[in-house]
Amino acid sequence: METTNPNSLEISSQFYNYAADLMVNQEKSAYEAKNALILQGLTPENAASVVENVEDQIQEANNSKARKDMIYGALWFAGGTILTLSNIGFIFWGAILFGGIQFFKGLINLNS
């Protein structure tokens, strides 16, 4: 019967968590995170793979937040504009301004 190391998955997730902590919370660069993982015992190839996967996940999270900002910004802008144009006696400039700023913030973050 062949035995496998039951901790290999835990070790792998520990390295991913460590790399994510370095890159997100401690704002370390990918190069610094890779070197830290090598010092923790990973091979350079495995460390590069872990850092690359963490970078992809960070970028995906940033893109998701940017899309949400665009959607909510567009909704605030459209709602403020519709209510202003409905001629009920109020100008909803706050909603229009807030929505426009939030939309363009999301658009800039999505393209960067």
Side-chain angles (χ1 to χ4, degrees):
M1 182 190 276
E2 198 174 311
T3 60
T4 59
N5 185 357
N7 292 328
S8 64
L9 193 57
E10 285 180 24
I11 292 171
S12 175
S13 67
Q14 288 175 348
F15 285 124
Y16 277 98
N17 290 337
Y18 180 62
D21 179 58
L22 288 173
M23 295 173 73
V24 174
N25 297 331
Q26 298 180 26
E27 298 179 1
K28 301 287 185 184
S29 68
Y31 178 77
E32 292 170 320
K34 179 182 169 191
N35 286 337
L37 289 172
I38 291 171
L39 290 175
Q40 294 291 319
L42 278 181
T43 63
E45 296 81 21
N46 288 341
S49 176
V50 167
V51 168
E52 184 179 320
N53 287 336
V54 170
E55 283 181 318
D56 290 344
Q57 290 175 354
I58 291 170
Q59 185 63 38
E60 184 178 319
N62 289 340
N63 287 346
S64 175
K65 184 181 181 326
R67 283 189 209 96
K68 285 180 184 178
D69 280 344
M70 290 176 62
I71 290 170
Y72 291 130
L75 289 173
W76 275 104
F77 183 84
T81 302
I82 290 169
L83 288 173
T84 298
L85 295 176
S86 67
N87 212 8
I88 60 174
F90 294 104
I91 299 174
F92 294 90
W93 61 269
I96 295 169
L97 182 64
F98 173 76
I101 290 171
Q102 188 173 12
F103 176 83
F104 284 109
K105 179 182 127 184
L107 184 63
I108 290 168
N109 287 336
L110 187 63
N111 289 326
S112 65

